[in-house]
Amino acid sequence: MSTHVFLTEVANFSEAQVVKSFLVAQGFHPRLRDEMTRSVAPHLETFLGKLIIEIPENEFLAASSSLEQLEDSQAEKIAEQDETLLLKNQNLQESQDMAKRCLINAVLGCVLIPVVCNLYSMLLGFRVLGKEMPLSQLTRTRLVMAFVFNCFGFYIWLTYGPMLLKDLF
C-alpha cells in the first residue's frame, strides 16, 4: 500500500470535487482528507479547515505537473479575457470622448465658428458610428444632440450667413 502525500488544498467541497474529478480523469488516484467526516458532520467544516487533496506518493510529480498545466491554461484564459475587457473599455472611453468633442464642435458651429466646426463635428460623429461597437446611452445622447445642433447651425449659417457677409462687404 502506497502512502498518500499532500498535493494541494482547496477552499470548499465543490472545488475539491472538481479537482478530484480532473485528477481521476488524468488516471490518478486522489483522495480527499476528511471527506467522510465532512459529509457526515458538515458542522465540523470550520474546525477541520481547508480541504486537502492527497495523492499516492508515486503519482505526485505527474499529478503536480498536470495541475500546474491546468492552472497555467486557466491563467492564460483569464489574462486574455482581461485584455479583451480592457480593450473594450478603452474603445468605449475613446468613443465617449469623441462623441463629447462632436457635441462641443456642433455647439461651437452654431455660436462661434460657422460651418467648419459643424463639418468637423459631423466627421467625428461618423468616426464614432464607424467603430461598429455598441454605444452607451451617454454616447448616443451626445451624438443625437450634436446632430440637432449641426442641423440648426447649418440652417442658421447657410440661410443668414450670406446676408451677413453681403452687409459686411
Side-chain angles (χ1 to χ4, degrees):
M1 179 172 182
S2 64
T3 60
H4 283 72
V5 295
F6 171 84
L7 178 64
T8 188
E9 65 182 16
V10 292
N12 56 41
F13 200 70
S14 301
E15 187 178 351
Q17 290 299 326
V18 170
V19 172
K20 183 179 176 184
S21 297
F22 172 76
L23 291 171
V24 168
Q26 299 294 317
F28 301 112
H29 303 90
R31 73 176 185 192
L32 297 176
R33 187 186 298 170
D34 303 324
E35 181 178 16
M36 292 300 171
T37 306
R38 289 173 193 270
S39 62
V40 173
H43 60 280
L44 294 177
E45 190 163 340
T46 52
F47 173 71
L48 295 171
K50 291 187 175 183
L51 282 163
I52 295 176
I53 298 177
E54 297 177 332
I55 195 92
E57 192 172 2
N58 59 345
E59 297 177 353
F60 175 75
L61 291 176
S64 176
S65 66
S66 206
L67 276 180
E68 285 178 20
Q69 288 174 354
L70 177 66
E71 289 174 0
D72 290 343
S73 68
Q74 287 178 342
E76 288 175 8
K77 288 178 184 177
I78 290 171
E80 288 174 6
Q81 290 173 349
D82 288 347
E83 185 177 317
T84 304
L85 185 61
L86 180 64
L87 185 61
K88 284 182 180 178
N89 285 340
Q90 287 175 344
N91 285 341
L92 179 64
Q93 185 63 39
E94 183 181 339
S95 292
Q96 287 179 347
D97 291 343
M98 206 177 301
K100 183 178 181 180
R101 286 187 305 192
C102 177
L103 178 59
I104 289 170
N105 279 295
V107 171
L108 286 176
C110 291
V111 177
L112 192 58
I113 305 168
V115 183
V116 175
C117 285
N118 294 107
L119 289 174
Y120 183 63
S121 173
M122 288 175 53
L123 175 71
L124 288 174
F126 286 127
R127 284 181 59 195
V128 170
L129 294 174
K131 287 185 178 263
E132 295 182 6
M133 61 180 287
L135 300 176
S136 68
Q137 182 66 36
L138 179 64
T139 304
R140 281 191 297 245
T141 303
R142 286 178 176 167
L143 288 176
V144 168
M145 289 175 60
F147 174 75
V148 169
F149 278 110
N150 281 330
C151 289
F152 180 71
F154 277 122
Y155 175 77
I156 295 296
W157 290 109
L158 294 176
T159 303
Y160 300 109
M163 289 183 228
L164 290 173
L165 289 175
K166 185 176 161 184
D167 291 341
L168 289 176
F169 298 109

